[in-house]
Amino acid sequence: MRTPGSDSTAHPPATAAARPAAPGTAHRGITLASSVVGAVIVALDGTVLTVAQPTLQGDLNASFAQVQWTSTAYLIAVAGLLVFAGRLGDRHGHRRIFALGILGFGAASAGIGLAPGIGWVIALRVAQGVFGALLQPATLGMLRAAYPPDRLGTPIALRASAIGIAAAAGPLLGGALVDHFGWRSVFFLNVPPALAMGVAALGVRTPDAREPRTVRPAADGLDVPGACLLTVALVALVHTLVAVPETGWTAATVAGLAVVAAAGTAFVHRQHRAASPLVPPEILGSATIGAALGILVAVSAALLGTLFAASWFLQRTLGLDPQETGLRALPAGVTMVLGAPLAAVLMRRFGPRRTAVAGTLVLTSGILLLARLGPASTAVPVACGFLLLGAGFVTVMVTTTAVAVRHASVASAGVAGGLQQTAMNIGPTLGIAVAATLMSLTPGAAVGPALTALAVFSATAALLALRLPGHKNP
């Protein structure tokens, strides 16, 4: 029970735990900057790498498969560790874990820039994935600790806008760097901001740094067996999805799905029986958080699968070069950047449910419009399709991310952030696998069948959105 003396300065940890909004404006500004820069570094790294890979292959005399593993190795490492990394942040403070993650990410980037061979590049990309897994949930966990739940929409929207800018600018920036300074420069690009934000995170002492220790008992475990089971399930899932477009449905891919099912079932069973589960009951049993994560998987699969198929169509069918293709897809990036703050406003005015449903319907409309394209299509319907694609996706992403993070307690914010990031990694892999598989089954045909299937993902997200809160301020 609260007493009149419980608000006195004699008990600062209790006050911080009771009121997560305690950090002042300056501390919130630093937290927001750290969250944005950390998310941007990861997003920028992925987009500039795709531009640098052809030059990297020639310079290191690598095979195409080896170059592909510079992306796959990172994806597998980061996807398998995100939730456990979020749990570490809940236990030891998100700012500490963020600093370790971003400094390690920068060091691994510098190592890749100095790597003498492709084997070193792949190994360091795995290390980069491990550190990326540490910093990504922390970027959301820090926001949850610094902002009250009803004010999370705006910082999450700003973070989403920054990611959109990085995704749109990445190919252009990467191309300029590779042309003038070589492929190694795209990795050195990460080092200065990573060093600056890591030092800033270590040097600033804020109330939220002590929060997890006041909320969770010190004896609370990390559930290493549960983390191992989840890692096995996620690694097997990502590896299988990446392999399907290249090898098709073989005995190996079927075995991979069997491993996913077995490890996933064992993980859920352990979470219900463990004294200190990796995913707390408040998250594991939350229908709202489950719906938000399902929506993120579905819409990110729909978006990335559509971008993959549409890029193939623009280059193979319409005969555009990569730069022209990027310009045709630019409306998606622009609406993602401009639409993120608007999504936060819509969520406050109309509530998460209506905002997310509207966003999924806009996204579905964009996919179906692109599915109708043919060899005679002009630039106008292409631009309209990409515009709807970006506007719908960013609306859903901002809304569901805010719902997932703010419905978790401060003590579980890292796990919620890890699950959100996991959904955003699994979804694109799934979408690209579906698109590539369907396109391989209909060689020479339009991308309509693949995009129609991806529209089903988006429509399913609309049904899941009906389970989100309908009121304006949960």
Side-chain angles (χ1 to χ4, degrees):
M1 179 180 296
R2 224 172 146 153
T3 64
S6 63
D7 288 332
S8 68
T9 56
H11 305 282
T15 304
R19 290 186 294 190
T25 302
H27 290 154
R28 284 181 181 159
I30 294 172
T31 298
L32 180 57
S34 299
S35 177
V36 168
V37 172
V40 165
I41 286 177
V42 173
L44 197 60
D45 178 82
T47 55
V48 298
L49 176 62
T50 58
V51 178
Q53 281 176 330
T55 306
L56 181 153
Q57 180 180 3
D59 188 39
L60 298 181
N61 296 316
S63 67
F64 179 76
Q66 288 175 319
V67 172
Q68 288 299 104
W69 268 100
T70 62
S71 297
T72 303
Y74 173 86
L75 181 61
I76 290 175
V78 73
L81 294 173
L82 282 167
V83 179
F84 184 65
R87 176 71 160 158
L88 287 175
D90 291 333
R91 283 273 295 157
H92 301 291
H94 299 297
R95 194 174 296 277
R96 293 187 186 93
I97 300 301
F98 171 82
L100 174 63
I102 199 166
L103 289 173
F105 194 91
S109 298
I112 295 171
L114 299 171
I118 189 63
W120 280 99
V121 173
I122 294 173
L124 287 168
R125 283 289 286 172
V126 173
Q128 202 177 39
V130 172
F131 288 115
L134 290 175
L135 76 89
Q136 288 185 61
T139 62
L140 290 172
M142 290 189 300
L143 293 180
R144 177 64 181 88
Y147 289 84
D150 60 345
R151 294 181 59 188
L152 271 172
T154 298
I156 287 176
L158 293 175
R159 178 178 177 274
S161 288
I163 293 174
I165 293 173
L172 299 176
L173 179 60
L177 287 173
V178 172
D179 286 343
H180 291 88
F181 304 105
W183 67 267
R184 298 178 187 273
S185 62
V186 304
F187 292 100
F188 289 131
L189 176 69
N190 296 327
V191 178
L195 179 63
M197 295 313 302
V199 170
L202 288 174
V204 175
R205 294 291 180 263
T206 61
D208 63 306
R210 297 189 302 269
E211 229 167 10
R213 295 178 182 269
T214 66
V215 178
R216 269 192 200 285
D220 199 1
L222 286 174
D223 188 18
V224 174
C228 291
L229 287 170
L230 182 60
T231 298
V232 169
L234 292 173
V235 167
L237 177 59
V238 172
H239 187 271
T240 301
L241 292 175
V242 170
V244 165
E246 299 177 3
T247 63
W249 289 102
T250 64
T253 53
V254 173
L257 291 181
V259 172
V260 174
T265 301
F267 171 75
V268 173
H269 179 71
R270 176 169 178 80
Q271 297 310 287
H272 286 296
R273 297 175 62 88
S276 301
L278 177 68
V279 181
E282 67 178 83
I283 294 179
L284 190 65
S286 172
T288 298
I289 294 178
L293 296 175
I295 293 167
L296 283 170
V297 171
V299 298
S300 60
L303 175 75
L304 269 296
T306 299
L307 291 176
F308 173 83
S311 296
W312 182 90
F313 170 81
L314 292 175
Q315 294 185 52
R316 297 291 181 87
T317 303
L318 297 188
L320 304 180
D321 61 36
Q323 185 175 7
E324 290 173 326
T325 300
L327 291 174
R328 293 289 179 92
L330 189 59
V334 172
T335 51
M336 286 179 65
V337 172
L338 300 178
L342 178 60
V345 174
L346 293 174
M347 183 172 58
R348 285 196 300 269
R349 181 169 183 180
F350 299 107
R353 181 188 303 158
R354 284 185 283 181
T355 304
V357 168
T360 55
L361 294 179
V362 171
L363 175 62
T364 304
S365 300
I367 297 172
L368 292 176
L369 179 57
L370 292 174
R372 295 173 58 86
L373 297 178
S377 298
T378 63
V380 174
V382 174
C384 290
F386 279 114
L387 187 147
L388 293 173
L389 209 65
F393 175 77
V394 76
T395 301
V396 179
M397 184 183 71
V398 169
T399 303
T400 50
T401 298
V403 168
V405 174
R406 73 185 182 189
H407 273 75
S409 67
V410 174
S412 301
V415 172
L419 289 169
Q420 188 269 352
Q421 293 292 319
T422 300
M424 294 294 291
N425 277 273
I426 298 297
T429 310
L430 174 62
I432 292 173
V434 169
T437 301
L438 291 176
M439 289 166 64
S440 68
L441 295 176
T442 56
V447 292
L451 293 185
T452 301
L454 293 168
V456 174
F457 279 80
S458 183
T460 302
L463 297 177
L464 289 174
L466 296 175
R467 302 180 63 182
L468 297 181
H471 39 82
K472 301 175 184 179
N473 289 311

